[in-house]
Amino acid sequence: MSDEPQADGPAQDAPERPARREKPDENRSPKGDERHGRRERSRDDGGSGAGKRPAGKQGAPGKDAAEHGDGDKDKSKDRDKDERSKDERSKDKDKDKDKEQEEREERERERERAAGRFRELTRDPLAEEESEDGPTDLAAAARARRAIQQLFDVGRDFTSFDRSYFHSALIGDVNLMLDSRRVGAGMRSGPVPDEELHRLRLVHVEPVGYVQLRTALRARRLLVLGAAPGTGRTSTALSLLDEVTISGPGTTGPETGNGHRVRRVDPDDDGLRKLADSLGEPSADQHTESRGYLLEVPLDRPGGPLPAEMDLDQLAAALARREAFAVVVVTVGSAAGPLLAGRYGMLCPPAPTAELLRTRLRERLEHHAAAPGADGTDPAELLARSEELYARADVKDALGLDDLRPAEAELLASLLAGHVLGDVTREDLLSGCRSLAAAQAQEWFAGVDRALTAPAPAVGTDGKPGRPGTAELFHPVAFRIALAVLGGAPHSAVAAAAHLLTWELSVQCDPDNTPARPLFCDDPDADVALSRAEVRDGRVEVAGVDVPARLIWYRGSALPAAVLTELWDRHFPARGPVVRWLRQLADDPRPQVWMRAAVAAGELCVRDFDHGYTELVRPLAEAPTPLRRIFAATTLDQAARHDSHRKAVHRIVGDWSRHGTKSLRWSAAMALGYGNAAESTDETLDALARIGIHGDGDQLAVASFNVVRLLTLPDAAQVLARMAEWTHHKREPYQDLGLVTTVRLALTTVDEMLTDAPDARPVGRGDWPLPLALAADRPELVEPMADLMWTAQNTARSQEVATDALESLLRSAVRKDGTEWTRPGLAALLPALAADEYDRRRLDWLLRRMMNDPEKPLPDARARDLWWLAVTPPSRPRPSARREEGTRPERTRRERTREEERHG
């Protein structure tokens, strides 16, 4: 049937606790109780004696007819009076009926208002206030938060970058320099010593595709080699030139003795054309002995000249006449795109990490074994111990890099060898490993805009002083920051965020000029290479549906934290544009963007809480949109995960819950739902209760939502006990808080919990309703949840929404394709919900309503299965299928028919 059990009257107190509830009359149904009450209220309270003879003297025998005539007149008057009294009584009864009808209609309107209010309170608290059906994608936000938490593991790499690592150390006779700002980074003209070529020949590790590079160089005489800085591109170029020039005219063997076989050429002042001109001059004595030339062309300087294809052709022709070779090293990016796309361009992949580290370790250990006073330990044994040490979890975790570059491999090899030989302590080893990621971040940011802040800026095309190229200059830095904040998001989202940050940085650096950003000059491959990133196929959630996407991460768990630490601790002027950028990300509707940005903002606040709270947390917590407020709450929760800031967050959230504005109370409730914003679970529940009952209960929805979030924590039994206290409180606002929280519990899925607690993520149960997941995993919570749901179903103002919530739970037993879904959870919860005959009749009525639903009728077989789940205790076997299909349904239909006849 489509009729629903309804309770009359205005909002009343919730019934007593289910443990003390009285068993209703077994001869009543939910609808029968209502009608019986109405009949009791409409029953007439006795007659007025109409139709009875009035009391008086009786006539004596022998009286004359006149007396009888007078008596007849009196009787006639009495009859008329009785008739008038009947009419008046009839009118009075009609008035009473009309009044009773008005009262019933008023009670019905009040019931509808109460039910509508409860429906409003149980809607999504993150939806826009003017739209009840606004999408918020809580499940997607929760998954994004769990993903980004893995990049910012509290207590590991972020808090380790305290600048206490050593910059240099002397291990034996090996001097280590661990600061990325190395002296003499720029290349100048001059010959490459034979000793350097000899050592390179021993330790160089060939990258993938090295043979193709060598073949192309021999065929074309000129090679433009593109790679990211620090990947070993210079050593690869020298190795190529060493191989192709090791024999030929003018050479007598591997070593010429004068060190002029390979030369470096200064790239300044148009070195490419100068080299071509010098090779064409017969009197070029300085180049008569040289057959290999190495050039590094800087393309990242604003206004710098870009070599043209004809310049490369001219140089290749001059090299062919001299039977010489040249390698031009460039940094991958939009500026180098035309060079690398030409006939001379090729990419240089990095060398494999394992082989690179093994080669460096072998060199260090063999050098130690050959030194005077060595202990005679076999270098092979030391090498095995060093590789075993590198494979340990704590060393890998401290290193936080998936791939090592040549300089990093050399430093790590020295640290590992020094620890194996007893020269480096374990603490220094781990500190040195952490320093590698920090040094990489420092190198990325060091002096990026030095050319723009020079006293003499470049001259624009119009002849006026200007600073062209700011967007191209800042884009690699902005991409690294965006990747540190949004790691794991789609590549397109990171690229779009990087462009927003590029604009903010460019305007901050050069406010008098509008930065120009070319629309079709991006090089995604260059962004990935310059940021030590990788792109993998994955899936992202869009409007509740998983779709394929290209996801991007740093190749190393330590790099996101290292980048943000370097940015926040050493480059204060950059904070302004970064804060403005984070506020823009807080408005992004995609959960994988705003949630990741909120977690990263929390880590930045840990570095400087005063600045983060003033510029980010407080303004966003008072924002009018719920998305910004939950951004602020997530930022606070991330800061509270650090011991150094936990008490400060507790104080702030507590003050907001007591004395804050409406927006601040809302933000405080969302922060409390994570479980870290108060000293204990009791204090968390106290604060949420204060927020929920404050004023007219306008924060009841968000307070109840965050109480439900606490049920995923280990103290779930304590939370359920407090909810029971609220539902039976003397004050109606507390009752409403308990009832709304109970209904919301039934309407919330596991994935919507915005938490990373292990108990909140049962394997394969992310789309389960939370009470069924808890019932299946934690049997001790079944009875408290059943008692709360019974109370909500037997309270007038929450009965309708509680019944609809129970229906949604029942429909989740089996998926649309017939596969099992939440049936184990229902098997644990339904017997506790149908503990007596009255509850079973109500369940039977609800199942019949679902079966007769014109839009989504429940199949009879599923209804019977749900019935037996409820009436069969877990210890008893279910009846046979034959009895299930025959005996019980027939008896149920007969009982149903008798009850319908009895109660109309």
Side-chain angles (χ1 to χ4, degrees):
M1 293 182 181
S2 59
D3 295 337
E4 298 182 11
Q6 300 173 353
D8 295 328
Q12 301 174 356
D13 291 346
E16 292 299 324
R17 297 189 183 214
R20 300 196 301 267
R21 68 192 185 215
E22 296 180 0
K23 189 174 182 179
D25 187 358
E26 294 185 359
N27 293 325
R28 299 180 186 175
S29 68
K31 288 187 65 178
D33 291 339
E34 175 193 355
R35 293 171 179 168
H36 178 74
R38 292 180 178 177
R39 288 197 298 270
E40 290 294 335
R41 289 191 295 269
S42 62
R43 182 180 298 171
D44 190 8
D45 294 330
S48 59
K52 292 184 180 181
R53 184 171 180 162
K57 294 183 178 180
Q58 295 181 354
K63 292 283 184 181
D64 56 12
E67 294 177 352
H68 287 287
D70 293 338
D72 291 339
K73 291 180 180 179
D74 293 338
K75 291 179 179 180
S76 177
K77 292 179 179 180
D78 292 339
R79 283 195 299 268
D80 292 342
K81 186 177 181 180
D82 291 342
E83 289 177 359
R84 287 194 300 270
S85 299
K86 288 181 180 179
D87 292 340
E88 291 175 357
R89 287 195 300 270
S90 177
K91 292 179 180 180
D92 292 341
K93 288 183 178 180
D94 292 341
K95 291 181 179 179
D96 292 341
K97 289 181 180 179
D98 293 341
K99 185 177 181 180
E100 183 180 355
Q101 179 65 24
E102 292 177 359
E103 291 177 355
R104 283 198 299 267
E105 291 177 355
E106 180 61 28
R107 286 193 296 268
E108 180 66 19
R109 287 193 293 269
E110 179 65 26
R111 186 199 65 79
E112 292 177 355
R113 285 193 295 268
R117 180 170 177 267
F118 264 75
R119 287 192 183 279
E120 178 69 16
L121 292 174
T122 54
R123 74 181 181 93
D124 189 348
L126 302 186
E128 293 293 340
E129 296 177 359
E130 66 274 7
S131 173
E132 182 177 353
D133 300 324
T136 53
D137 294 332
L138 284 176
R143 281 187 280 271
R145 183 173 182 270
R146 290 194 288 268
I148 197 65
Q149 286 285 352
Q150 299 175 4
L151 299 181
F152 299 110
D153 188 7
V154 176
R156 190 198 57 169
D157 51 5
F158 204 97
T159 56
S160 299
F161 298 139
D162 55 0
R163 297 294 167 183
S164 62
Y165 61 85
F166 51 89
H167 294 269
S168 62
L170 185 63
I171 303 175
D173 56 353
V174 178
N175 187 23
L176 299 181
M177 298 296 296
L178 298 182
D179 198 326
S180 62
R181 294 174 296 179
R182 300 178 180 88
V183 180
M187 186 176 65
R188 292 291 181 266
S189 296
V192 179
D194 292 337
E195 294 79 7
E196 182 177 344
L197 294 176
H198 176 71
R199 180 182 180 275
L200 180 66
R201 204 175 300 126
L202 296 176
V203 301
H204 181 258
V205 177
E206 297 179 356
V208 178
Y210 181 82
V211 176
Q212 287 81 356
L213 296 176
R214 185 178 56 198
T215 302
L217 178 59
R218 282 175 173 168
R220 301 167 188 166
R221 299 283 176 171
L222 175 63
L223 181 65
V224 178
L225 194 63
T231 56
R233 57 183 186 176
T234 303
S235 61
T236 298
L238 288 174
S239 178
L240 289 171
L241 292 173
D242 180 50
E243 287 195 35
V244 296
T245 61
I246 202 168
S247 61
T251 59
T252 58
E255 311 297 345
T256 61
N258 51 20
H260 290 175
R261 186 160 52 89
V262 178
R263 296 181 61 89
R264 294 186 177 94
V265 180
D266 190 349
D268 295 336
D269 299 329
D270 200 7
L272 213 74
R273 290 196 183 102
K274 287 185 176 181
L275 176 61
D277 295 340
S278 63
L279 290 175
E281 296 176 1
S283 60
D285 297 336
Q286 57 178 340
H287 297 309
T288 53
E289 300 293 338
S290 301
R291 299 186 58 239
Y293 302 92
L294 172 64
L295 300 88
E296 281 192 34
V297 179
L299 304 177
D300 56 350
R301 291 180 301 179
L306 179 66
E309 190 75 12
M310 63 177 60
D311 297 328
L312 299 177
D313 291 337
Q314 180 183 359
L315 177 58
L319 292 170
R321 288 193 295 270
R322 287 295 184 96
E323 295 186 1
F325 303 89
V327 176
V328 179
V329 177
V330 296
T331 301
V332 293
S334 57
L339 294 178
L340 296 177
R343 68 176 65 92
Y344 303 103
M346 295 189 71
L347 293 175
C348 178
T353 297
E355 183 63 26
L356 197 63
L357 182 60
R358 185 178 298 108
T359 301
R360 298 296 189 269
L361 278 171
R362 184 182 299 110
E363 181 190 17
R364 290 283 186 272
L365 296 173
E366 289 178 352
H367 181 77
H368 169 77
D375 55 5
T377 306
D378 186 6
E381 180 183 351
L382 295 175
L383 178 62
R385 289 168 54 188
S386 300
E387 292 180 342
E388 181 181 355
L389 178 63
Y390 171 69
R392 295 188 57 169
D394 56 345
V395 176
K396 288 278 191 180
D397 188 64
L399 184 63
L401 297 174
D402 295 345
D403 298 322
L404 294 176
R405 295 183 170 182
E408 296 166 348
E410 187 169 354
L411 294 175
L412 180 60
S414 299
L415 290 170
L416 294 173
H419 183 69
V420 170
L421 297 174
D423 298 329
V424 176
T425 64
R426 184 171 189 80
E427 290 75 13
D428 288 342
L429 169 64
L430 297 180
S431 180
C433 289
R434 296 188 186 100
S435 298
L436 295 180
Q440 173 64 93
Q442 187 175 352
E443 182 181 344
W444 278 341
F445 286 92
V448 171
D449 56 351
R450 185 176 293 115
L452 297 179
T453 57
V459 178
T461 57
D462 56 355
K464 298 180 180 180
R467 291 185 172 89
T470 54
E472 289 80 3
L473 182 66
F474 285 120
H475 181 69
V477 175
F479 191 89
R480 292 161 186 155
I481 298 173
L483 184 56
V485 172
L486 304 178
H491 189 188
S492 60
V494 176
H499 282 296
L500 290 176
L501 183 56
T502 299
W503 174 276
E504 293 289 347
L505 294 173
S506 300
V507 171
Q508 180 78 11
C509 187
D510 190 9
D512 296 332
N513 295 281
T514 302
R517 183 64 186 171
L519 300 179
F520 302 101
C521 293
D522 278 358
D523 189 350
D525 295 334
D527 291 338
V528 172
L530 292 175
S531 302
R532 301 184 71 163
E534 63 176 339
V535 179
R536 297 198 299 262
D537 292 331
R539 304 189 69 84
V540 66
E541 187 169 342
V542 178
V545 180
D546 285 343
V547 296
R550 297 281 290 168
L551 308 181
I552 185 169
W553 284 272
Y554 270 114
R555 290 192 58 81
S557 59
L559 287 173
V563 168
L564 296 184
T565 302
E566 174 69 20
L567 169 70
W568 213 245
D569 289 355
R570 296 178 62 88
H571 304 283
F572 299 107
R575 289 187 177 186
V578 171
V579 166
R580 294 193 295 269
W581 174 67
L582 288 173
R583 290 179 180 177
Q584 295 181 60
L585 297 185
D587 296 326
D588 196 293
R590 294 169 293 182
Q592 62 267 23
V593 173
W594 66 261
M595 179 56 79
R596 284 180 164 85
V599 174
E603 292 295 325
L604 291 178
C605 286
V606 173
R607 310 304 305 183
D608 189 347
F609 192 79
D610 175 57
H611 185 272
Y613 177 78
T614 304
E615 299 294 332
L616 268 176
V617 176
R618 182 61 184 258
L620 295 179
E622 294 180 315
T625 60
L627 206 56
R628 282 197 163 199
R629 295 197 293 265
I630 192 175
F631 187 101
T634 306
T635 300
L636 276 180
D637 172 73
Q638 190 65 23
R641 292 171 178 269
H642 296 263
D643 295 337
S644 56
H645 292 75
R646 185 170 294 120
K647 289 185 178 180
V649 174
H650 292 174
R651 179 64 180 272
I652 290 172
V653 175
D655 288 345
W656 287 358
S657 68
R658 291 182 178 88
H659 315 296
T661 62
K662 180 180 177 180
S663 297
L664 289 179
R665 291 178 188 271
W666 199 101
S667 302
M670 290 303 303
L672 289 165
Y674 287 109
N676 301 309
E679 289 288 346
S680 63
T681 302
D682 277 337
E683 293 189 9
T684 301
L685 293 170
D686 290 341
L688 288 172
R690 283 196 303 269
I691 296 171
I693 68 171
H694 180 266
D696 298 331
D698 52 358
Q699 304 288 329
L700 185 56
V702 68
S704 63
F705 171 75
N706 288 284
V707 173
V708 173
R709 292 174 62 195
L710 297 176
L711 290 172
T712 61
L713 303 178
D715 296 334
Q718 185 177 354
V719 178
L720 293 174
R722 181 68 69 90
M723 290 169 58
E725 292 179 9
W726 290 337
T727 57
H728 300 94
H729 200 277
K730 294 181 180 180
R731 294 180 56 190
E732 187 174 316
Y734 282 99
Q735 296 178 20
D736 289 345
L737 177 59
L739 295 172
V740 171
T741 305
T742 301
V743 175
R744 185 177 296 281
L745 168 62
L747 298 175
T748 304
T749 61
V750 173
D751 275 344
E752 295 175 344
M753 285 296 93
L754 294 176
T755 181
D756 56 346
D759 294 340
R761 304 194 307 275
V763 178
R765 295 177 182 171
D767 58 349
W768 279 38
L770 182 59
L772 300 184
L774 293 175
D777 291 342
R778 304 182 63 178
E780 72 276 7
L781 303 180
V782 170
E783 285 297 332
M785 287 191 298
D787 291 344
L788 288 168
M789 296 178 69
W790 185 94
T791 303
Q793 288 179 310
N794 287 273
T795 303
R797 57 189 184 274
S798 62
Q799 184 180 42
E800 183 177 345
V801 290
T803 302
D804 293 343
L806 179 59
E807 178 179 342
S808 67
L809 295 180
L810 295 174
R811 290 188 181 277
S812 68
V814 181
R815 301 184 187 274
K816 292 182 179 180
D817 57 0
T819 58
E820 188 175 276
W821 189 5
T822 65
R823 192 175 180 278
L826 286 169
L829 184 61
L830 282 182
L833 285 175
D836 53 35
E837 189 64 26
Y838 176 77
D839 295 336
R840 293 178 182 179
R841 285 203 303 272
R842 179 166 52 193
L843 177 62
D844 177 73
W845 170 86
L846 179 57
L847 290 173
R848 287 188 286 110
R849 190 184 79 168
M850 296 167 62
M851 293 169 62
N852 296 322
D853 191 332
E855 296 182 357
K856 296 187 298 182
L858 183 69
D860 293 354
R862 293 187 185 179
R864 287 194 295 269
D865 183 69
L866 291 171
W867 172 261
W868 284 115
L869 284 179
V871 302
T872 305
S875 58
R876 286 173 48 191
R878 287 188 56 194
S880 63
R882 180 177 180 181
R883 181 179 178 183
E884 176 186 346
E885 296 177 359
T887 306
R888 174 62 190 178
E890 291 296 332
R891 184 171 64 86
T892 302
R893 282 194 291 269
R894 288 196 299 270
E895 291 178 355
R896 182 187 312 147
T897 303
R898 285 198 297 270
E899 288 193 2
E900 290 175 352
E901 292 175 352
R902 184 183 307 118
H903 301 293

